[in-house]
Amino acid sequence: MKKDQRPVVIWLLTGCFLIFIMVVVGGITRLTNSGLSMTDWHLVTEVIPPITDTQWEEAFEEYKKYPEYQKINIHFDFTLEDYQQIYFWEWFHRLLGRLLGIVFIVPFLYFLIRKKFSAEILKKCIVLLFLGGFQGFLGWYMVKSGLIDQPDVSHYRLAMHLTTAFITFAFTLWVALDIMYPDKKTIKTAFRNLLRFSLAILLIQIIWGAFVAGLNAGLIHNTWPLMNEGKLIHETVIIEQSPLWRNFVEGKSGVQFVHRYLAYIVVALIGIIWFKSRKFDLTGPQSNGISALLILVLVQFVLGVFTLIFAVPLWLGILHQVGAFFLLAAMTFTLHRFSR
């Protein structure tokens, strides 16, 4: 890596870190049912939350007009203090989004003016800016789905929002790695293709993890290794929705079934990657990437099992999401080191 490119790498890795924090806070927001506490969207005025008692009362009264309060919280002793707690997480999540936008845009313009980008890196950074803006739009689009008729957001929109965050992180990391490792080497095509396929399966698993979160499907079949009643495939997997295929994208049991058993495939693929890599003369970064993959997938699998058994307590749900994030990071790094 050239010395004058170091600030660009630091900028990109800072973006990766902030995306990670965003995903963690987003997970807390989801698991604490805080995502619908802010019922409108203002780019500037929401930076400062309600401060006075009057402002809080006004915000709370506005919240009472929407389905989450009218269909769920109205039946409980849901006070202003309760509202302030859920408001905080959604406000903090949006504040981080604004901060992330500033962190990306301002240094980008500075580096652009100072001509720190090669033509290739510039194109990729423009894609990153688009992904960041699109992610913000998806956040608004997701929240909007829970403010009309149903007191919950669409699990499809939740999956789009979360998956785009993961993809933005992975692509940001990839661009940073392009700068850190500019020298190209001989590529083991078959092994690289195995890594690409595994990355695709991992992303599918992340999507179904978002489906599980959006449908609260982790609150059923809280047994392992089999589903309820000791069944490999519980009958509810195929009878909740019609036609049959909808069970696997909209049925709680069907969605959990896919996420539960796709985990075995992810573990198996990374096991194959590790086994095949032993035949190669690996560089230090390649070896470290493979080792990280193996360790992280096993940790993530165990976290998934315990998250399911204990019916998604907040701390385990967050750890499981963090595990997915680190696993994707390791997969991205390893694929990069076998791609150029």
Side-chain angles (χ1 to χ4, degrees), residues 95-250:
L95 181 67
L96 285 173
R98 292 176 173 90
L99 176 62
L100 188 58
I102 294 171
V103 167
F104 264 98
I105 293 171
V106 174
F108 169 79
L109 294 175
Y110 172 78
F111 292 135
L112 182 63
I113 293 170
R114 296 296 299 271
K115 298 181 179 179
K116 296 290 186 179
F117 298 128
S118 66
E120 180 185 2
I121 295 299
L122 176 58
K123 290 177 183 178
K124 292 178 179 179
C125 287
I126 291 172
V127 173
L128 281 177
L129 291 174
F130 168 78
L131 285 172
F134 185 57
Q135 176 70 355
F137 164 77
L138 285 176
W140 167 82
Y141 185 60
M142 177 187 70
V143 169
K144 185 179 178 182
S145 67
L147 298 175
I148 302 173
D149 299 314
Q150 299 300 320
D152 209 349
V153 300
S154 162
H155 71 290
Y156 290 119
R157 299 187 189 187
L158 172 65
M160 286 191 290
H161 186 52
L162 180 63
T163 306
T164 303
F166 275 77
I167 291 173
T168 303
F169 165 83
F171 191 66
T172 305
L173 178 60
W174 188 277
V175 177
L177 291 171
D178 279 349
I179 300 173
M180 294 168 65
Y181 299 98
D183 298 329
K184 296 186 178 182
K185 58 185 180 300
T186 303
I187 297 173
K188 299 175 178 66
T189 305
F191 192 73
R192 180 198 62 188
N193 291 342
L194 172 61
L195 286 165
R196 284 178 173 177
F197 177 75
S198 300
L199 175 60
I201 297 299
L202 177 59
L203 285 172
I204 292 172
Q205 174 70 331
I206 289 170
I207 291 170
W208 256 262
F211 285 173
V212 169
L215 293 170
N216 293 317
L219 302 180
I220 60 174
H221 301 297
N222 302 112
T223 59
W224 186 84
L226 301 175
M227 302 181 83
N228 280 2
E229 302 167 18
K231 295 180 179 180
L232 182 68
I233 305 176
H234 198 268
E235 60 267 17
T236 53
V237 169
I238 59 174
I239 64 173
E240 285 186 43
Q241 302 287 333
S242 181
L244 178 64
W245 64 267
R246 290 185 62 182
N247 286 283
F248 303 106
V249 292
E250 295 181 9

Side-chain angles (χ1 to χ4, degrees), residues 43-60:
L43 186 61
V44 177
T45 56
E46 288 174 353
V47 173
I48 301 175
I51 298 175
T52 66
D53 291 342
T54 300
Q55 289 175 331
W56 274 115
E57 287 290 349
E58 289 175 352
F60 191 30

